[in-house]
Amino acid sequence: MMRFGLARLTVALLPLVGAPAAAQSAAPAAPVVLAQPVAAGAVISADDLRVWDTGDPPPMRGALAAANIVGRAAARRLAAGAVVREGDVRAPQVIQRGEPVTLVLRSGALTISTQGQALNAAGLGEPVRVICDSTKRTLSGRAEAPGRVVVAG
């Protein structure tokens, strides 16, 4: 216990007992590397990773923990033994460029949907531009699900 005094004010700092796990310091996760090459766009699974050992490149600043890698897609081809960083992975693509999509516009209780064509690939929640089939206008929205784009109303 540490005490700091200032005139008549005394503050006592006590160690946290039974604090939530987030407040307690936890041992850092073991660094991981790719166990095998991963193709661009492929979703990375736990089987694609292994714990870093002394023969691998040194763990670098910005290396991601396994929990932040699994389920994300490779942004480019990644070599076996590589340390994975934030720029190496992205959200899996749910919309591909050129594929037909359903455009959805919501305003209160009103929902309007129509068909269109995606002008770019996008992951869940990412921006996507779409050409509306009926009006031939280009609209911007966000990927909500595979083949589904929500347009701001």
Side-chain angles (χ1 to χ4, degrees), residues 98-103 114-118 130-134:
E99 84 174 346
V101 295
T102 300
L103 295 163
T114 188
Q115 298 300 306
Q117 184 175 14
V130 179
I131 293 180
C132 178
D133 289 347
S134 60

Side-chain angles (χ1 to χ4, degrees), residues 30-139:
V32 294
V33 295
L34 292 170
Q36 56 203 13
V38 177
V43 176
I44 301 172
S45 71
D47 294 338
D48 294 322
L49 302 174
R50 66 176 170 78
V51 176
W52 179 88
D53 67 29
T54 55
D56 294 320
M60 55 183 78
R61 193 178 204 141
L64 295 175
N68 296 328
I69 300 170
V70 173
R72 296 179 74 188
R76 57 183 172 74
R77 185 184 183 293
L78 301 172
V83 174
V84 181
R85 295 171 51 171
E86 188 61 41
D88 296 332
V89 291
R90 63 171 190 240
Q93 303 293 295
V94 294
I95 294 179
Q96 301 300 320
R97 181 177 189 258
E99 84 174 346
V101 295
T102 300
L103 295 163
V104 178
L105 171 73
R106 292 185 189 111
S107 181
L110 177 67
T111 301
I112 300 172
S113 59
T114 188
Q115 298 300 306
Q117 184 175 14
L119 295 175
N120 62 285
L124 195 61
E126 292 180 344
V128 60
R129 294 185 49 192
V130 179
I131 293 180
C132 178
D133 289 347
S134 60
T135 64
K136 302 299 182 204
R137 295 185 71 185
T138 301
L139 303 170

